[in-house]
Amino acid sequence: MPRAIGPVLVEGPVEVVLPDGTVVVSERPVVALCLCRRSRRYPFCDTSHRRRSRPSVERPADGEQA
Ligand code: FES
C-alpha cells in the first residue's frame, strides 16, 4: 500500500465530517486535506508532513579524514 506523504487538494468550499460526527468547514477555494494525520489543524494540512528528523551527521575527529 502506498504511503501518503502529503495532502490531497480539493476544490472548496468543503464540509468535512469527522468520525466523531464533528463537521469542519473551509470556505477556501482550494483546501489541502491532511492524509498523514500529523497536522495540528486536522483534517486540514498544516505542512507538518514536511517535517523530518535530519539524519545524524558524524563529524570526523580532529586529524581524521571524512
Ligand atoms: S498532509 Fe500535510 S500535515 Fe498531513
Side-chain angles (χ1 to χ4, degrees):
M1 186 170 156
R3 290 176 49 194
I5 57 171
V8 63
L9 301 178
V10 296
E11 192 174 325
V14 297
E15 211 176 83
V16 180
V17 181
L18 300 177
D20 68 357
T22 305
V23 177
V24 186
V25 175
S26 174
E27 299 291 334
R28 293 182 171 204
V30 177
V31 180
L33 296 176
C34 175
L35 296 182
C36 74
R37 292 194 163 254
R38 291 186 207 159
S39 176
R40 286 184 219 141
R41 296 180 52 239
Y42 190 83
F44 305 116
C45 173
D46 70 353
T47 70
S48 293
H49 62 272
R50 296 180 186 163
R51 293 184 199 124
R52 293 185 191 160
S53 61
R54 291 183 180 212
S56 64
V57 177
E58 291 188 29
R59 295 183 154 194
D62 288 341
E64 282 186 31
Q65 297 205 354

